[in-house]
Amino acid sequence: MYDWNDLKAFLAVAETGSTLSAAQALRVSQTTVARRIAALEAATSLNLFERRQAGYALTPVGEAMLASAIAVRDAANRFGEAAGARSRDAGGTVSLTTMEIFAVTILPPILRDLRAAHPAIHIHLDTSDEPRELAAGAADIAIRSSKQPTGAGLVGRRIADNPWTVYCSRDYADRHGIPHTRDELAAHPFIGGGGGVWEPYQAWLRQYGLEESVVMRYDTASGLLAGVRAGMGLTVLPAFLADREADLIRCLPPKSEDSTGLWLLTHERLRHVPRVRLVLDFLATELAKLGRG
């Protein structure tokens, strides 16, 4: 077997007549080209060139092998062109599942930009409170807030840290002050619910012994956000989202041991499907930008 780079050196020298010109065309050193020619001759047990003072000339064997080498290069170029075309023309529907609270806050501008950049892609956005099973085909991509995602065949990456803590609105803070301790928190009303948000929210309340402080509950995350923005009370939210809400103020720093992250996931059988790969890469770039910000 031979190295593809050795074959490229053979073609370049055959077409230019010298290792110096071939090196310039390939953007490598002349020594590298000469070494690759020698390696190809050793691998094939053929003498492909005559080394002359004026340059390299193909031997009769080299002349006979040239057409085959050109055919290999043409096939490689066609492969690259076909792969590029499939990537550029990737289209179709990609199903994306996430918590409603992300779907109504950080995702709309990202999906707007995705649509502008790739109009052939259509997104089906699922905001079910129950995590969809990617292995069963319930969705193509998931954005999840989790310490460590679980599920068969999941692949993906942790985009950013996403601990949970308590927030109030600026209007509420102006009227009632900002609580900074557990005892101060107990004197304030909490807004609860929020659909899929409620499980990690309730776990946070239990840690602080504040479950009895919940005086109002919404069935949806958008309702929860509307309530806290209106100054009805305090609520617990994921920091990746809430720290970007101009109307909200963080009351307490997240607990240092909270290792919750924001994860971008797909199933291993879908990771190389062009339309899914395109959306994954786009989301990863844009969410990582938010994380760095």
Side-chain angles (χ1 to χ4, degrees), residues 1-247:
M1 295 297 294
Y2 57 85
D3 188 306
W4 167 234
N5 289 312
D6 296 345
L7 188 61
K8 287 195 291 185
F10 166 71
L11 286 165
V13 173
E15 291 168 351
T16 64
S18 74
T19 54
L20 177 59
S21 297
Q24 292 170 344
L26 296 174
R27 297 183 180 181
V28 297
S29 70
Q30 186 176 9
T31 302
T32 296
V33 172
R35 177 172 52 79
R36 290 200 174 279
I37 294 298
L40 182 61
E41 290 181 326
T44 58
S45 299
L46 298 174
N47 182 23
L48 301 172
F49 290 100
E50 291 181 10
R51 278 73 169 171
R52 300 174 178 174
Q53 188 172 359
Y56 277 49
L58 285 167
T59 64
V61 172
E63 289 279 4
M65 298 299 296
L66 182 59
S68 296
I70 292 172
V72 172
R73 180 178 63 188
D74 290 346
N77 288 340
R78 287 194 299 272
F79 178 87
E81 290 168 0
R86 286 185 64 85
S87 177
R88 289 191 300 273
D89 298 338
T93 298
V94 175
S95 56
L96 171 63
T97 181
T98 191
M99 299 168 70
E100 185 198 23
I101 201 163
F102 295 125
V104 300
T105 54
I106 61 174
L107 277 182
I110 294 176
L111 296 180
R112 174 202 63 205
D113 293 345
L114 172 64
R115 172 65 182 167
H118 304 286
I121 293 289
H122 300 270
I123 297 295
H124 173 74
L125 189 58
D126 178 282
T127 58
S128 171
D129 289 345
E130 295 298 323
R132 295 302 194 188
E133 182 56 61
L134 302 189
D140 300 321
I141 297 172
I143 300 173
R144 292 182 183 169
S145 179
S146 172
K147 292 184 177 180
Q148 182 62 53
T150 58
L154 291 184
V155 292
R157 67 187 84 173
R158 181 184 173 113
I159 296 297
D161 294 335
N162 189 36
W164 292 63
T165 191
V166 63
Y167 294 83
C168 68
S169 71
R170 295 187 181 278
D171 175 68
Y172 184 92
D174 290 341
R175 290 184 289 112
H176 304 287
I178 304 173
H180 294 297
T181 67
R182 186 269 169 209
D183 290 340
E184 290 177 359
L185 288 172
H188 293 261
F190 276 74
I191 307 164
V197 175
W198 182 236
E199 184 177 348
Y201 184 165
Q202 195 170 35
W204 191 98
L205 291 174
R206 289 196 193 102
Q207 289 181 348
Y208 284 88
L210 293 169
E211 289 181 275
E212 298 302 318
S213 296
V214 176
V215 298
M216 180 182 298
R217 287 185 58 172
Y218 281 94
D219 288 337
T220 66
S222 55
L224 182 65
L225 278 173
V228 71
R229 285 169 176 165
M232 292 180 182
L234 312 182
T235 195
V236 175
L237 293 169
F240 186 88
L241 142 69
D243 286 347
R244 289 161 179 79
E245 289 286 314
D247 292 337

